[in-house]
Amino acid sequence: MSQGVEFNRLMMQMRAMQMEATGKPQAPAALEQGPDKGSEFSEVMRGALDKVNELQKTTGDLRTSYEMGEAGVDLTDVMIASQKSSVAMQATVQVRNRMVSAYEEIMRMQI
């Protein structure tokens, strides 16, 4: 569940940055942060990427265990883990795409 909390915090920070860049007033909820208010964007992003990596490793291990026929490994567990890692990867790609587009937009601004 902490992965969802980190992703939500990351999305709130991105929205706040977008609002700030476009000159729109920020919503109060976007300014609130969790207990670790000193965390930087790079730390949050690194943590999210580590979680995605961990999910993919877990999925790979479960898949290998199932293929080897180990007892106690269900096909449903493998499929659920696979879907979790797929969704996490898609979310990471979307965050990356938004970051790249925001960077490109900032680079197009005239000083």
Side-chain angles (χ1 to χ4, degrees), residues 9 12-13 28-44:
R9 187 168 12 125
M12 285 181 7
Q13 287 177 347
L31 297 175
E32 289 182 20
Q33 291 185 355
D36 55 334
K37 293 180 182 179
S39 69
E40 293 186 16
F41 180 77
S42 62
E43 293 173 6
V44 172

Side-chain angles (χ1 to χ4, degrees), residues 23-109:
K24 295 179 184 174
Q26 296 180 1
L31 297 175
E32 289 182 20
Q33 291 185 355
D36 55 334
K37 293 180 182 179
S39 69
E40 293 186 16
F41 180 77
S42 62
E43 293 173 6
V44 172
M45 193 67 183
R46 183 175 296 127
L49 290 174
D50 288 342
K51 288 289 187 180
V52 170
N53 188 34
E54 181 182 324
L55 283 171
Q56 288 182 340
K57 284 182 181 179
T58 302
T59 299
D61 293 343
L62 278 173
R63 189 175 291 149
T64 302
S65 298
Y66 180 76
E67 290 171 353
M68 299 292 271
E70 291 183 17
V73 180
D74 252 355
L75 177 61
T76 55
D77 294 336
V78 174
M79 296 306 293
I80 289 171
S82 176
Q83 288 299 312
K84 281 182 181 179
S85 67
S86 175
V87 168
M89 185 62 168
Q90 289 174 2
T92 302
V93 169
Q94 289 297 319
V95 169
R96 184 214 52 187
N97 291 344
R98 288 187 182 206
M99 285 176 47
V100 168
S101 72
Y103 175 78
E104 289 173 346
E105 186 175 331
I106 289 171
M107 293 305 292
R108 278 186 247 134
M109 288 182 184

